[in-house]
Amino acid sequence: IAGITQAPTSQILAAGRRMTLRCTQDMRHNAMYWYRQDLGLGLRLIHYSNTAGTTGKGEVPDGYSVSRANTDDFPLTLASAVPSQTSVYFCASSRQASGEQFFGPGTRLTVL
Amino acid sequence: GQNIDQPTEMTATEGAIVQINCTYQTSGFNGLFWYQQHAGEAPTFLSYNVLDGLEEKGRFSSFLSRSKGYSYLLLKELQMKDSASYLCAVRDEDYQLIWGAGTKLIIKP
């Protein structure tokens, strides 16, 4: 692994289903982030974690949850997917909370 | 509220120079970033400004005026591969990044 990986690359999901998007980094970065990117809008922060064991809410946290059990992994869970959660999801990490962010390749999620 | 403004789209000619502007109104300021994002790919870091002035990095330069809430990204000697979206992001008082919607740059031969 080099950098940040995300899985799956893309997914079509029925509304009401539970889904976990996976994110793993091998750079030993302290901070990790989940964004969604929708056409015509900037990246919007969903949740973040400044260090393992801690998480915080971003601009659009409703309907999403995260955990940070260790430094490398930062999964994002949609408890009961809705069509408005159709988006491209990017995971990112930075050495410290104040640093440059490195992005994963993204997960394209469609909720029908 | 917090706001980052960038033009939606710009067109330029291969070999020319283009300036992409970004104005911001945020709760506090702890630095401004520019990222490049090719279609279907992840954003990648281009530059960072925290003090007023110009930062030069090869064909790309970024300028910041904190008093005016203004930055620009200058791309010289444009190449076809520079066709991408350019994202401006400001780190606010809580050290969170606030992102503009991005400027789609189209390069014509």
Side-chain angles (χ1 to χ4, degrees):
Chain A
I1 300 176
I4 303 180
T5 58
Q6 293 184 234
T9 302
S10 65
Q11 181 75 43
I12 299 174
L13 189 65
R17 297 297 295 270
R18 180 184 179 88
M19 176 73 190
T20 295
L21 308 185
R22 299 184 299 279
C23 174
T24 300
Q25 54 103 359
D26 66 353
M27 298 178 284
R28 308 303 292 172
H29 283 175
N30 287 309
M32 297 187 74
Y33 314 85
W34 274 106
Y35 291 96
R36 60 178 290 173
Q37 187 175 40
D38 302 291
L39 196 63
L41 299 177
L43 287 161
R44 291 184 291 169
L45 183 65
I46 304 171
H47 285 286
Y48 66 94
S49 169
N50 288 335
T51 190
T54 69
T55 62
K57 294 182 179 180
E59 179 186 357
V60 289
D62 294 343
Y64 306 95
S65 63
V66 292
S67 62
R68 186 88 184 279
N70 57 60
T71 297
D72 298 345
D73 301 300
F74 191 43
L76 176 74
T77 298
L78 289 68
S80 179
V82 295
S84 62
Q85 292 178 311
T86 294
S87 188
V88 179
Y89 290 86
F90 286 104
C91 179
S93 72
S94 59
R95 188 174 304 279
Q96 302 296 339
S98 59
E100 165 196 346
Q101 293 184 13
F102 296 83
F103 284 79
T107 293
R108 184 174 297 274
L109 182 68
T110 302
V111 182
L112 302 175
Chain B
Q2 309 209 83
N3 196 50
I4 311 284
D5 285 319
Q6 307 177 233
T8 302
E9 187 174 295
M10 300 181 70
T11 302
T13 304
E14 189 177 17
I17 299 173
V18 71
Q19 177 175 311
I20 302 174
N21 295 325
C22 170
T23 58
Y24 62 88
Q25 293 175 308
T26 56
S27 54
F29 178 85
N30 285 295
L32 185 145
F33 293 81
W34 285 96
Y35 280 74
Q36 181 189 60
Q37 185 177 25
H38 285 101
E41 297 183 7
T44 56
F45 170 79
L46 285 178
S47 69
Y48 172 66
N49 295 71
V50 66
L51 299 176
D52 290 351
L54 189 67
E55 293 283 341
E56 297 185 83
K57 190 184 294 185
R59 293 189 298 114
F60 293 6
S61 303
S62 57
F63 172 83
L64 174 67
S65 169
R66 289 172 296 171
S67 63
K68 295 182 179 178
Y70 169 70
S71 173
Y72 67 73
L73 180 69
L74 192 71
L75 292 74
K76 303 177 184 176
E77 301 170 13
L78 286 169
Q79 301 175 11
M80 297 304 293
K81 68 178 182 180
D82 297 329
S83 292
S85 289
Y86 292 85
L87 313 181
C88 174
V90 173
R91 186 186 287 142
D92 69 8
E93 62 186 1
D94 296 322
Y95 280 82
Q96 297 301 332
L97 281 183
I98 309 301
W99 295 81
T103 298
K104 182 178 181 180
L105 179 63
I106 299 168
I107 310 296
K108 296 186 174 180

